[in-house]
Structure formats: structure tokens, C-alpha cells
Amino acid sequence: MATIGEQPIFTTQAHVFQIDAGTKKDWVQASKNSVSVSFYYDNTRNTYRIISVDGSKAIVNSTITPNMVFTKTSQKFGQWSDPRANTVYGLGFSSEQELTKFIEKFKEVKELTRQASGVKSGEVNGTGENHSHPSPQVSRQNLHQRTNSLSSIQNDSGGLRERRNSFTQGGSNGLPANTSTEAQLKYENDRLKLALAQSSANAKKWEVELQTLKNNNARLTAALQESTANVEEWKKQLAAYKEESVRLKKRILDQDKGGGGDPLMVGQLTDQLERIRLDNHNKQEEIKRLNAQLQDLTIKDGQTSGLQVRIQSLEEENHSLSLRLQDAHRQLQESRSSKDQESRELLRLQEILGSKISELYETHETIIATIRRESNS
């Protein structure tokens, strides 16, 4: 929470994450939604803090120091380590522009903090010390002073041993240098795996739908071929019916001109003509229905082509995701190898430092013994 003397100087919106305190690798989402993240300036202490509050809970409370570094790990994600809070904070932004603005503000505030620290350091270091060379004739009082001084060196060397041990065992506030990078790579790796699985599931779903459409297309094509054959047959029958109708009409007209004829035959011919007309009408309706089916089949064939294009696009996307996943695996392995190499180098330097401190301590003991012998003599 901000105090009375603090004033906000910059505010943005972001999703807040913290490194898992147990594993020091995985990210834990501190805010369910995007929250306000603000830079605050305390004019009484001349300090800067990053503060974010979700409801009544402060999820970010980080005092900026000149040694802090904000690292951009992706287009919309960045992080920084806070040894005082013993955690690593991560911020996810809605766009790369918002992340860039935050980085610029972080650099600006860190520079102001460095300048303020420089002023305080100058005030402390401004007091000079006068060093004089000791006289060849050393009095007993000077010997006692040298003894006391070397005793203080002994106490300092004990402090050095404690710091060496703490350095070897690892401080409670220290974080491995590559922990945040490895955690981000693992996060990107898991995200790519999830995207690849989702894309594969979508591709399988579209493949099933495409196969269904292909089956429907084959069935409709067979029906269309059969209907086309029927249409040709019906056209031939229709032409025959028209010829028969013309012939029957001619016979009726001839009979009418001849002065009558058999009424029974005339009635049969009339009925036959009506049946031919009815069949003609039915065949015309069937032809219209088949034409409508042909248009529907053409539309579905176009949809099938669109699905094929979409499935091809999904396959290309799957290939791209696979390549990115392989690259993320490679980067993760390189990060782990680099971390192991740095750990071995760190152990080697610790051993060298320990041996140097031991030599310094032995030299110190020898000097103390020599001075005591001179003092007793």
C-alpha cells in the first residue's frame, strides 16, 4: 500500500505473476484479471516503489534499487527480481507498446535512484583519511596499537569466513541467475505444447468433417449421375409422347373431318392424350427438382474445397508450432547446460576463495605470533 508521502507518477494495466516460492521455476498468477501497476515516489525518503493492489491485497510491493534489471522475455511479458521481497515479479501486458512504455519508465526511475544513491555515496566518501608511514623506531605503545588493529583484522577474517559459508550455501534472498530465464522458457514450452495440442484437435475435427462431406459428396454425385441418366431417358420418353400426342390429335381431326367416327375410340384417344399431358407435366417437375439438387451439390462442393484449404492451413500451422516447440526444447536444454556450467564454475571459484581466505588467515596468525614475540622481547 502507498503511504501518505508517496505519490503515483506512472500507472498501467497488466496481469501480475510471481515465481513459485517452492520450485523457484514455475509462475504463479497473482491476479485473476488485469490490474493497475503504478510507480510511486516517496519525497521524504527519496525512494521509488512499484505497487499493485488486487482488491485489498498488495500483490506487488517492490522498492527499486540501482542494481535491479527489468528483462523483456517475450513480446508482451517482462520480469524483474527483487532480493528484498525474495521473489521474482512478472507482468503480462495487452500489447508490446504497453510493455515498451513500462520498460522506459523502469529505466528512468532506476536512473533517478542511481543518481540519488550517488549523492548519498558522495556525502559519505567526502571525508578524507590521512595516512602516514610508521617510523622505524616502534614504541611499545605502537606495538599494542598494531596488535589491536590485527585483532580487528582477525575479526574481519572471521566475518569473511561467515560470508564465504553463506555464499557457498546460498543466501536466503538470493535467486539463481538463470532461474527466471529457465522458468520463462518452460512457460513458453508449455504454452506451445498446449497450442499444438489444440491445433491438432482442431485438425482432427476438420478431417472428420471433411471425410463426412466427401462421403456426402460421393453419394450426391452418384445420385446426380443416376438422375442425369433418368432425365435423358425421360426426355426421350417425352419426345415419344409428344409425337404420339401429335399423331393422336391428327387422327382425331381426321375423324372429325370425316363426319364423326367411333365415339368409343375418340374417348380412348382423348384419355390417352390427357395421360400423356399429365406425364409430361410430371417429367417437367422432376427435371426442375433435379436441377435444384445439382445447384445444391455445386454449393457443397465449394464448401468442401474451402475446408480442404482450411485443413491445409491447419497442417502448416501444426508444422510451424512443432518447429517452435523443438526450438523451445533446444533453448531449455541450452539454458540448463549453461546453468550447470555456471554452477561448476561457481563451485570452483568458491574453492579458490576458500583457499585464499585460509592462506590469509594463516598469514595473519603468523604476523600476530611474530608481533607478540617482539612485544614480549
Side-chain angles (χ1 to χ4, degrees):
M1 299 290 184
T3 59
I4 298 177
E6 289 181 310
Q7 298 294 331
I9 58 176
F10 178 81
T11 300
T12 186
Q13 294 288 324
H15 290 270
V16 179
F17 297 84
Q18 290 186 12
I19 205 73
D20 189 352
T23 63
K24 298 295 184 182
K25 293 181 179 180
D26 301 326
W27 287 107
V28 177
Q29 189 169 0
S31 63
K32 295 181 179 179
N33 302 313
S34 178
V35 295
S36 296
V37 181
S38 303
F39 286 87
Y40 278 83
Y41 172 63
D42 188 347
N43 54 9
T44 58
R45 298 184 180 90
N46 196 20
T47 58
Y48 294 85
R49 286 200 298 167
I50 302 176
I51 298 176
S52 178
V53 179
D54 188 7
S56 59
K57 179 182 177 183
I59 56 179
V60 177
N61 185 4
S62 177
T63 301
I64 300 176
T65 63
N67 296 327
M68 280 187 177
V69 177
F70 188 89
T71 304
K72 178 182 178 182
T73 56
S74 65
Q75 288 186 345
K76 300 180 182 180
F77 192 87
Q79 64 188 45
W80 78 97
S81 175
D82 189 344
R84 295 183 180 179
N86 192 21
T87 187
V88 179
Y89 292 105
L91 297 180
F93 295 87
S94 59
S95 65
E96 188 175 5
Q97 290 77 10
E98 294 295 327
L99 174 58
T100 302
K101 291 180 182 178
F102 188 88
I103 293 174
E104 292 175 353
K105 196 64 180 180
F106 193 95
K107 291 180 179 178
E108 177 185 343
V109 170
K110 191 175 75 169
E111 181 63 27
L112 293 174
T113 304
R114 181 182 291 109
Q115 293 176 2
S117 299
V119 171
K120 294 179 181 179
S121 177
E123 293 175 354
V124 173
N125 297 331
T127 58
E129 295 181 359
N130 294 326
H131 300 280
S132 59
H133 298 282
S135 172
Q137 303 296 330
V138 181
S139 64
R140 188 171 297 275
Q141 182 179 0
N142 290 335
L143 286 174
H144 286 298
Q145 291 178 354
R146 289 171 59 188
T147 302
N148 294 333
S149 176
L150 288 172
S151 298
S152 65
I153 293 176
Q154 183 177 5
N155 294 331
D156 291 340
S157 66
L160 283 174
R161 286 196 298 273
E162 293 177 357
R163 279 182 286 176
R164 182 193 66 181
N165 294 333
S166 64
F167 184 73
T168 304
Q169 298 173 359
S172 60
N173 293 335
L175 290 174
N178 288 336
T179 297
S180 58
T181 303
E182 185 176 348
Q184 180 63 23
L185 285 174
K186 188 175 183 300
Y187 168 76
E188 291 290 337
N189 191 8
D190 294 339
R191 188 173 64 83
L192 286 173
K193 285 182 179 178
L194 181 61
L196 181 59
Q198 183 66 31
S199 180
S200 299
N202 291 336
K204 290 180 180 178
K205 182 180 70 174
W206 289 118
E207 285 177 359
V208 171
E209 186 170 349
L210 178 61
Q211 187 61 39
T212 302
L213 286 174
K214 285 182 177 179
N215 294 336
N216 293 335
N217 191 8
R219 182 174 56 81
L220 290 173
T221 301
L224 179 62
Q225 292 174 354
E226 183 180 358
S227 298
T228 303
N230 291 335
V231 167
E232 295 297 329
E233 184 65 25
W234 290 337
K235 285 182 178 179
K236 293 179 181 179
Q237 292 181 7
L238 182 60
Y241 288 154
K242 287 181 177 180
E243 292 176 358
E244 184 69 15
S245 176
V246 171
R247 188 179 62 80
L248 290 174
K249 284 182 179 180
K250 185 177 180 181
R251 286 180 60 183
I252 292 172
L253 291 175
D254 291 341
Q255 288 180 0
D256 289 341
K257 289 179 180 180
D262 189 359
L264 180 59
M265 184 178 293
V266 172
Q268 291 177 352
L269 291 174
T270 303
D271 293 338
Q272 188 176 0
L273 181 62
E274 288 297 327
R275 285 196 302 271
I276 291 173
R277 287 178 179 174
L278 182 60
D279 289 340
N280 185 18
H281 177 72
N282 292 335
K283 299 300 181 184
Q284 293 289 344
E285 292 295 328
E286 186 68 17
I287 289 172
K288 290 180 181 179
R289 185 178 64 81
L290 289 174
N291 286 331
Q293 287 184 358
L294 180 60
Q295 292 178 357
D296 292 339
L297 184 60
T298 303
I299 294 173
K300 289 182 178 179
D301 186 52
Q303 292 176 351
T304 303
S305 300
L307 280 174
Q308 289 176 344
V309 172
R310 190 165 184 179
I311 287 177
Q312 185 178 0
S313 175
L314 283 173
E315 290 177 350
E316 293 175 355
E317 183 180 354
N318 280 348
H319 180 67
S320 175
L321 286 173
S322 298
L323 293 177
R324 290 177 61 188
L325 183 60
Q326 292 175 3
D327 186 62
H329 275 303
R330 180 184 57 78
Q331 291 181 4
L332 186 60
Q333 292 297 329
E334 290 177 355
S335 175
R336 289 175 177 173
S337 300
S338 176
K339 182 180 178 181
D340 293 339
Q341 184 178 0
E342 289 178 358
S343 298
R344 290 192 296 269
E345 182 67 19
L346 185 61
L347 290 174
R348 189 181 66 83
L349 291 175
Q350 288 172 356
E351 292 176 356
I352 294 174
L353 179 61
S355 63
K356 294 298 182 182
I357 291 176
S358 298
E359 292 176 1
L360 179 63
Y361 180 71
E362 292 175 357
T363 303
H364 165 69
E365 292 293 339
T366 303
I367 294 174
I368 290 293
T370 303
I371 292 176
R372 284 177 178 173
R373 285 197 302 270
E374 292 178 358
S375 177
N376 291 332
S377 63

